[in-house]
PDB file of all heavy atoms in Angstrom:
ATOM      1  N   ALA A  35     110.667  83.547 105.524  1.00 98.00           N
ATOM      2  CA  ALA A  35     109.406  84.270 105.489  1.00 98.00           C
ATOM      3  C   ALA A  35     109.682  85.680 104.989  1.00 98.00           C
ATOM      4  O   ALA A  35     110.788  86.201 105.133  1.00 98.00           O
ATOM      5  CB  ALA A  35     108.769  84.315 106.881  1.00 98.00           C
ATOM      6  N   GLY A  36     108.662  86.305 104.392  1.00 97.00           N
ATOM      7  CA  GLY A  36     108.855  87.662 103.908  1.00 97.00           C
ATOM      8  C   GLY A  36     107.559  88.355 103.587  1.00 97.00           C
ATOM      9  O   GLY A  36     106.515  87.714 103.401  1.00 97.00           O
ATOM     10  N   THR A  37     107.640  89.661 103.541  1.00 96.00           N
ATOM     11  CA  THR A  37     106.516  90.504 103.153  1.00 96.00           C
ATOM     12  C   THR A  37     106.967  91.439 102.047  1.00 96.00           C
ATOM     13  O   THR A  37     108.078  91.981 102.100  1.00 96.00           O
ATOM     14  CB  THR A  37     106.018  91.346 104.349  1.00 96.00           C
ATOM     15  OG1 THR A  37     105.525  90.490 105.372  1.00 96.00           O
ATOM     16  CG2 THR A  37     104.898  92.290 103.924  1.00 96.00           C
ATOM     17  N   SER A  38     106.121  91.615 101.035  1.00 93.00           N
ATOM     18  CA  SER A  38     106.354  92.586  99.972  1.00 93.00           C
ATOM     19  C   SER A  38     107.727  92.358  99.316  1.00 93.00           C
ATOM     20  O   SER A  38     107.984  91.282  98.803  1.00 93.00           O
ATOM     21  CB  SER A  38     106.215  94.002 100.542  1.00 93.00           C
ATOM     22  OG  SER A  38     106.026  94.949  99.512  1.00 93.00           O
ATOM     23  N   ALA A  39     108.629  93.339  99.337  1.00 94.00           N
ATOM     24  CA  ALA A  39     109.957  93.143  98.740  1.00 94.00           C
ATOM     25  C   ALA A  39     110.658  91.952  99.366  1.00 94.00           C
ATOM     26  O   ALA A  39     111.375  91.200  98.694  1.00 94.00           O
ATOM     27  CB  ALA A  39     110.799  94.406  98.917  1.00 94.00           C
ATOM     28  N   GLY A  40     110.439  91.749 100.660  1.00 96.00           N
ATOM     29  CA  GLY A  40     111.030  90.605 101.350  1.00 96.00           C
ATOM     30  C   GLY A  40     110.511  89.279 100.838  1.00 96.00           C
ATOM     31  O   GLY A  40     111.211  88.264 100.894  1.00 96.00           O
ATOM     32  N   SER A  41     109.284  89.281 100.296  1.00 97.00           N
ATOM     33  CA  SER A  41     108.728  88.039  99.753  1.00 97.00           C
ATOM     34  C   SER A  41     109.436  87.639  98.464  1.00 97.00           C
ATOM     35  O   SER A  41     109.563  86.453  98.161  1.00 97.00           O
ATOM     36  CB  SER A  41     107.222  88.180  99.516  1.00 97.00           C
ATOM     37  OG  SER A  41     106.954  89.024  98.399  1.00 97.00           O
ATOM     38  N   ILE A  42     109.912  88.639  97.709  1.00 97.00           N
ATOM     39  CA  ILE A  42     110.624  88.332  96.466  1.00 97.00           C
ATOM     40  C   ILE A  42     111.951  87.653  96.769  1.00 97.00           C
ATOM     41  O   ILE A  42     112.257  86.575  96.243  1.00 97.00           O
ATOM     42  CB  ILE A  42     110.853  89.620  95.641  1.00 97.00           C
ATOM     43  CG1 ILE A  42     109.522  90.224  95.209  1.00 97.00           C
ATOM     44  CG2 ILE A  42     111.721  89.307  94.416  1.00 97.00           C
ATOM     45  CD1 ILE A  42     109.657  91.535  94.444  1.00 97.00           C
ATOM     46  N   ILE A  43     112.759  88.276  97.634  1.00 97.00           N
ATOM     47  CA  ILE A  43     114.067  87.679  97.921  1.00 97.00           C
ATOM     48  C   ILE A  43     113.920  86.359  98.664  1.00 97.00           C
ATOM     49  O   ILE A  43     114.662  85.404  98.413  1.00 97.00           O
ATOM     50  CB  ILE A  43     114.977  88.657  98.697  1.00 97.00           C
ATOM     51  CG1 ILE A  43     116.393  88.079  98.775  1.00 97.00           C
ATOM     52  CG2 ILE A  43     114.449  88.957 100.080  1.00 97.00           C
ATOM     53  CD1 ILE A  43     117.441  89.065  99.233  1.00 97.00           C
ATOM     54  N   ALA A  44     112.906  86.245  99.551  1.00 98.00           N
ATOM     55  CA  ALA A  44     112.690  84.984 100.267  1.00 98.00           C
ATOM     56  C   ALA A  44     112.327  83.867  99.300  1.00 98.00           C
ATOM     57  O   ALA A  44     112.815  82.737  99.427  1.00 98.00           O
ATOM     58  CB  ALA A  44     111.591  85.164 101.317  1.00 98.00           C
ATOM     59  N   SER A  45     111.495  84.170  98.310  1.00 98.00           N
ATOM     60  CA  SER A  45     111.108  83.138  97.334  1.00 98.00           C
ATOM     61  C   SER A  45     112.276  82.764  96.436  1.00 98.00           C
ATOM     62  O   SER A  45     112.460  81.588  96.100  1.00 98.00           O
ATOM     63  CB  SER A  45     109.918  83.625  96.494  1.00 98.00           C
ATOM     64  OG  SER A  45     110.276  84.715  95.668  1.00 98.00           O
ATOM     65  N   PHE A  46     113.100  83.739  96.055  1.00 98.00           N
ATOM     66  CA  PHE A  46     114.252  83.445  95.205  1.00 98.00           C
ATOM     67  C   PHE A  46     115.279  82.582  95.945  1.00 98.00           C
ATOM     68  O   PHE A  46     115.842  81.638  95.382  1.00 98.00           O
ATOM     69  CB  PHE A  46     114.913  84.746  94.732  1.00 98.00           C
ATOM     70  CG  PHE A  46     114.186  85.438  93.600  1.00 98.00           C
ATOM     71  CD1 PHE A  46     112.953  84.992  93.160  1.00 98.00           C
ATOM     72  CD2 PHE A  46     114.740  86.539  92.966  1.00 98.00           C
ATOM     73  CE1 PHE A  46     112.277  85.626  92.117  1.00 98.00           C
ATOM     74  CE2 PHE A  46     114.091  87.178  91.922  1.00 98.00           C
ATOM     75  CZ  PHE A  46     112.854  86.731  91.501  1.00 98.00           C
ATOM     76  N   ILE A  47     115.532  82.916  97.215  1.00 98.00           N
ATOM     77  CA  ILE A  47     116.485  82.124  97.999  1.00 98.00           C
ATOM     78  C   ILE A  47     115.964  80.704  98.171  1.00 98.00           C
ATOM     79  O   ILE A  47     116.715  79.726  98.006  1.00 98.00           O
ATOM     80  CB  ILE A  47     116.740  82.764  99.376  1.00 98.00           C
ATOM     81  CG1 ILE A  47     117.420  84.119  99.223  1.00 98.00           C
ATOM     82  CG2 ILE A  47     117.617  81.850 100.240  1.00 98.00           C
ATOM     83  CD1 ILE A  47     117.513  84.912 100.523  1.00 98.00           C
TER      84      ILE A  47
END
Side-chain angles (χ1 to χ4, degrees):
T37 297
S38 198
S41 72
I42 296 177
I43 189 167
S45 67
F46 282 7
I47 295 171

